[in-house]
Amino acid sequence: MLEPREGIPPVIADEAALAEVVAAFAAGTGPVAVDAERASGYRYGQRAYLVQLRREGAGTALIDPVACPDLSGLGEALSGVEWVLHAATQDLPCLREIGMVPTRLFDTELAGRLAGFPRVGLGAMVENVLGYVLEKGHSAVDWSTRPLPEPWLRYAALDVELLVDLRDALEKELDRQGKLEWARQEFDAIASAPPPEPRKDPWRRTSGMHKVRRRRQMAVVRELWQARDRIARRRDVSPGKVLSDTAIVEAALALPANVHALAALNGFGQRVGRRQLEQWQAAVDRAKALSESQLPQPGQPVTGPPPPRAWADKDPVAAARLSAARAGVAALAERLNMPPENLITPDTVRRVCWEPPRPADDRSVAAALTGYGARPWQVEQVTPVLVAALASAEGA
């Protein structure tokens, strides 16, 4: 499919045109296909730079959320309507920022996983299920570019062109496999989930952090990460374009004494100006000047079980429980033709195996799974597997 059925619609970039779109989509029928394009790797944060919609009776709309930053009127007009998204959890945060929050949704990527499709990208799904090939060349471009080039707009319009058709075909396939109710429970869980909590100590996720062992070096990572984040936010660019994670870790390991020593490290070479070098060295110096009590602790406080690799030493019986549970879940997932992580999250399995309920019977295990957020269909399918695994490990 090379062209949208009605051609490329004009980009909506003023309130009058937006009001017409709201009216048209409110008057449309059936589900609404929704997609959003971000500028990951180019801009700070994950805001939407284009929103695409399509609905029977309304056609396709391309909306510029920079020119029209408040789409709550559109969100309200579509309240109660089923929204069809592909990989919904990726787009919902940036849609929420502009006032678009679905009350009902259908996630075609998740539907594909539950139905057992080996490849669940939008292009692969459309090709396998509907027989159309979509042109997918512009997914990683800088969507903050203005004006947006016509080939990009064509690509964006095609992303929602067949989404409702794909939804209808996947609904039939899930129904045929007896999984439609499972999918509905999953979709409801996504739609009703609260926004995620801000990540604690995000600097700890710096790539290469595993090399940094000493607390003073960790403090350097923290200071450089926070300085980079302030600059990236102010300039509205991706933090990686300001300073790479590799450079941050290099500086932490080297603890350079001055700007000259810093300039000799990877990532701080010729392209970094003297003023920039001085601000990075100032961050290193701040970390060096901290007292022992101000240095970060080696690890984040762990709220759940320890990493599985440590179980054999800490609690061999728990390790045996986890091994049996993983094997049982994998076998059940294979029988049901879906990825094990969609049958039940690995974290939930670990928590139940580390501190199993006593006695570990159907009722108590089902209650534990529900407490960890498993959906009713997951509880029904997985409870017998975990009860058997817990019993076999205890008897071994």
Side-chain angles (χ1 to χ4, degrees), residues 80-150:
V81 174
E82 182 187 83
W83 296 22
V84 185
L85 299 103
H86 192 81
T89 53
Q90 292 182 20
D91 285 340
L92 289 178
C94 70
L95 290 169
R96 184 183 282 115
E97 282 181 9
I98 52 179
M100 294 186 65
V101 183
T103 51
R104 295 168 52 215
L105 64 83
F106 189 107
D107 185 333
T108 49
E109 188 210 41
L110 182 50
R113 290 179 185 279
L114 295 174
F117 285 88
R119 294 165 61 227
V120 293
L122 181 58
M125 293 290 291
V126 166
E127 189 171 348
N128 286 341
V129 178
L130 302 177
Y132 287 100
V133 177
L134 287 181
E135 194 262 314
K136 296 297 292 178
H138 301 296
S139 58
V141 298
D142 181 2
W143 287 94
S144 68
T145 301
R146 292 298 182 271
L148 286 163
E150 186 176 285

Side-chain angles (χ1 to χ4, degrees), residues 14-33:
D14 62 66
E15 293 304 318
L18 178 60
E20 289 180 18
V21 164
V22 171
F25 274 79
T29 56
V32 58

Side-chain angles (χ1 to χ4, degrees), residues 113-116 179 182 333-334 336-340 342-343 377:
R113 290 179 185 279
L114 295 174
K179 298 174 180 175
W182 303 358
E334 191 169 339
L336 294 174
N337 191 26
M338 69 172 68
N342 290 111
L343 174 58
W377 77 270

Side-chain angles (χ1 to χ4, degrees), residues 297-329:
Q297 293 303 316
Q300 292 171 291
V302 177
T303 53
R309 63 180 179 275
W311 286 33
D313 292 331
K314 288 178 181 287
D315 188 339
V317 177
R321 286 194 294 261
L322 182 62
S323 179
R326 282 173 161 173
V329 167

